[in-house]
Amino acid sequence: EDQVTQSPEALRLQEGESSSLNCSYTVSGLRGLFWYRQDPGKGPEFLFTLYSAGEEKEKERLKATLTKKESFLHITAPKPEDSATYLCAPKGQFYFGTGTSLTVIP
Amino acid sequence: GAGVSQSPSNKVTEKGKDVELRCDPISGHTALYWYRQSLGQGLEFLIYFQGNSAPDKSGLPSDRFSAERTGGSVSTLTIQRTQQEDSAVYLCASSPSGGTPGELFFGEGSRLTVL
């Protein structure tokens, strides 16, 4: 059965403490993966599309990478404004992962 | 505004009443999606419209839920005989790409509370 699993469910970081979020998937014929950010009370906001293993995308303090079985969202020197829930979703499917809730403490 | 617009932003209703939620997608986007997000939960797919094709209704939880999209633009999600478990944020998204789901652009959502 196709599925997407995100870990950890929640992550608390001190400002400036770099870390990574994981999105692992068992989707046959994966055609790419999306990352989204969701702030409380708002709809998800698109961040990145990764199409193939080895691909990397960067935006400010965020870098997304993709392998054949998982994707990582690396956060370098995070700031409090990076606090949000980060969601991944396989391209071509309607479902999303359950997300990682990130809190960055000043 | 260039984004996806949803209304109302908040709706409180009594159990058993019908509600309509509206979504105005980004101009030119051919695909439109409805999702539901219960408190502290993930996104639950409800329905997908693509151009003039028959919608994919595979995510609708019961026959009390229906949706239409008029003129390939505005969409209305209708919930009949609301129940307390229908309380959630209903999110609409649109996408410029057809066929399989692409990058989605979400609205702010309509928060439904059923008393």
Side-chain angles (χ1 to χ4, degrees):
Chain A
E1 178 183 332
D2 292 349
Q3 65 176 4
V4 170
T5 304
Q6 291 191 244
S7 62
E9 288 187 10
L11 181 62
R12 290 172 63 90
L13 300 173
Q14 291 290 330
E15 184 172 1
E17 179 187 2
S18 300
S19 188
S20 296
L21 313 181
N22 178 264
C23 170
S24 63
Y25 52 86
T26 54
V27 178
S28 57
L30 185 76
R31 284 167 286 182
L33 191 102
F34 301 121
W35 280 98
Y36 290 82
R37 167 192 172 128
Q38 186 174 23
D39 292 297
K42 297 196 172 183
E45 175 189 356
F46 168 75
L47 291 173
F48 303 111
T49 307
L50 300 166
Y51 289 102
S52 58
E55 187 174 2
E56 298 183 353
K57 294 276 180 72
E58 289 190 60
K59 180 179 181 180
E60 297 182 355
R61 295 174 293 282
L62 300 177
K63 183 168 78 172
T65 61
L66 184 68
T67 72
K68 289 186 177 180
K69 293 187 176 181
E70 58 190 347
S71 178
F72 292 95
L73 185 64
H74 307 277
I75 303 176
T76 302
K79 298 183 177 182
E81 54 262 41
D82 295 322
S83 297
T85 296
Y86 291 86
L87 302 164
C88 65
K91 188 177 186 300
Q93 306 293 331
F94 294 118
Y95 58 87
F96 285 71
T98 52
T100 293
S101 176
L102 174 66
T103 303
V104 181
I105 305 162
Chain B
V4 175
S5 178
Q6 292 189 246
S7 62
S9 55
N10 280 286
K11 175 72 176 179
V12 180
T13 191
E14 293 180 348
K15 178 182 173 181
K17 300 284 190 181
D18 297 351
V19 296
E20 287 189 349
L21 308 176
R22 176 190 166 103
C23 173
D24 202 340
I26 294 171
S27 178
H29 280 194
T30 59
L32 186 146
Y33 311 74
W34 284 97
Y35 284 84
R36 177 168 73 174
Q37 190 169 36
S38 301
L39 187 63
Q41 300 299 308
L43 290 163
E44 176 188 4
F45 166 72
L46 296 177
I47 189 169
Y48 162 60
F49 294 90
Q50 172 52 46
N52 295 322
S53 302
D56 183 331
K57 304 179 182 180
S58 59
L60 294 178
S62 77
D63 59 9
R64 296 186 295 105
F65 288 72
S66 63
E68 63 177 18
R69 188 179 185 192
T70 53
S73 181
V74 172
S75 177
T76 302
L77 177 69
T78 301
I79 309 172
Q80 297 179 308
R81 306 180 301 282
T82 53
Q83 303 294 311
Q84 289 183 331
E85 60 262 30
D86 299 334
S87 296
V89 175
Y90 289 82
L91 290 159
C92 175
S94 67
S95 173
S97 53
T100 56
E103 302 160 4
L104 304 186
F105 296 82
F106 283 85
E108 301 270 284
S110 292
R111 181 176 298 277
L112 174 66
T113 303
V114 182
L115 301 177

